[in-house]
Amino acid sequence: MHIAYSALQNTNSQTAQAKSTTDDQLSIRFKAYQTACNKYSKEITAIQKYIPGWVPTYPVL
C-alpha cells in the first residue's frame, strides 16, 4: 500500500510543479507583452488613428 501511496504523491507533486512553471512562464510572457506595448505606445497610437480600436495581438503558445 505504501508503494501506491508514494506513487500518487510523486505524481501530484510533479503536476503541481509543472503548473507552477507554466504560470511563471505565462506571467513572464504577459510582462513582456506589457513592456513592448509601453515601449511602442506612440506607434500604436499612430496605427489607431487609421484603424480605431486596433491593439497588438497577444502571442499564443
Side-chain angles (χ1 to χ4, degrees):
M1 187 64 177
H2 176 70
I3 294 171
Y5 179 76
S6 297
L8 291 174
Q9 287 298 99
N10 288 340
T11 302
N12 289 338
S13 66
Q14 290 172 352
T15 303
Q17 185 179 14
K19 184 177 183 332
S20 175
T21 302
T22 302
D23 289 346
D24 292 342
Q25 290 174 350
L26 290 175
S27 176
I28 291 169
R29 180 180 269 169
F30 182 71
K31 288 178 184 176
Y33 175 78
Q34 282 183 318
T35 302
C37 287
N38 289 337
K39 180 177 180 180
Y40 294 106
S41 63
K42 291 180 184 177
E43 289 82 355
I44 292 170
T45 303
I47 292 170
Q48 288 175 340
K49 189 187 283 184
Y50 299 102
I51 307 171
W54 180 87
V55 292
T57 58
Y58 184 74
V60 181
L61 292 174

